[in-house]
Amino acid sequence: MTVRTGEQTVVVDSPLGAGRRVERMVQEAGGYLERSSGSKDGDVRIEGRVPAQDLDRIMDEVAGLGDERRRYTTGADVTDQYADLEARQRSNIALRDRLQQLLARATTLDEVLNLERQIARLQADIDALQARIEQLKSRAELASLAVSLERKRVLGPLALAGHGVAWLVSRLFVIR
């Protein structure tokens, strides 16, 4: 069981338009958006969840919207953590069931109250473990994707001239 994440930065002509396309890609793949934001300079950041098996394909599609500057993917193996949670849950369920059998045979009020308190504590632990198991399953099924869309910078005449001079000077000092 692997939890995957992907992050990329793409330079595009229109970050807002590209952002809408990325949002559509995420939703059409069966994922959902967690966060979408824009900045004053027109850049857009989109965070969402996509089916883990589609992460690379979606990132390739997003890269095709412009000039990809950065791509970062990770995968974390959570198999041991998942197996540990399931084992603890099975153990707690078995203990709860045994306590319920003892409760059926309890004869005093003190025994009944003590057993019910222990059963309630175990049930809370079982519910918490189940929630963590479901969260791990969800994180393994749906990968996290964060996309930053930056506006393509168009250099003015002076910047172009400065860029050309910088290139020329670099060629004077660097042979290869």
Side-chain angles (χ1 to χ4, degrees):
M1 181 174 275
T2 304
V3 174
R4 297 192 65 209
T5 61
E7 188 172 331
Q8 69 188 134
T9 302
V10 180
V11 176
V12 295
D13 292 329
S14 171
L16 288 176
R20 284 189 292 275
R21 289 176 63 188
V22 171
E23 290 172 357
R24 243 187 338 271
M25 285 180 210
V26 168
Q27 291 169 344
E28 288 172 357
Y32 62 91
L33 297 173
E34 291 180 321
R35 197 172 297 115
S36 181
S37 63
S39 66
K40 199 164 59 170
D41 60 359
D43 294 347
V44 172
R45 181 159 174 88
I46 297 167
E47 297 176 24
R49 304 290 301 270
V50 297
Q53 69 271 12
D54 295 333
L55 179 64
D56 295 320
R57 178 187 60 78
I58 291 171
M59 290 182 80
D60 290 341
E61 288 179 22
V62 171
L65 298 175
D67 179 23
E68 184 177 56
R69 294 292 165 96
R70 187 172 76 89
R71 180 184 289 214
Y72 180 73
T73 57
T74 61
D77 184 4
V78 294
T79 307
D80 291 342
Q81 186 179 359
Y82 182 80
D84 178 56
L85 290 171
E86 281 194 323
R88 287 174 45 200
Q89 184 184 35
R90 279 192 305 274
S91 174
N92 282 350
I93 289 172
L95 181 56
R96 180 200 62 197
D97 293 347
R98 178 70 180 127
L99 288 174
Q100 286 174 337
Q101 290 172 355
L102 290 173
L103 179 63
R105 290 188 260 146
T107 56
T108 68
L109 182 60
D110 266 353
E111 288 177 331
V112 169
L113 292 175
N114 185 31
L115 288 169
E116 283 183 348
R117 201 172 19 255
Q118 290 181 41
I119 290 170
R121 182 187 53 79
L122 276 171
Q123 187 60 50
D125 289 347
I126 291 167
D127 293 343
L129 288 169
Q130 184 61 39
R132 290 179 61 198
I133 289 169
E134 292 303 319
Q135 180 192 34
L136 270 182
K137 282 181 185 177
S138 173
R139 288 178 54 210
E141 292 169 2
L142 293 173
S144 295
L145 174 63
V147 177
S148 294
L149 300 166
E150 298 176 354
R151 182 175 301 284
K152 186 176 191 176
R153 306 293 180 226
V154 179
L155 300 177
L158 289 177
L160 284 173
H163 184 68
V165 170
W167 178 83
L168 181 61
V169 170
S170 72
R171 294 292 178 232
L172 292 174
F173 295 102
V174 179
I175 295 175
R176 286 190 184 218

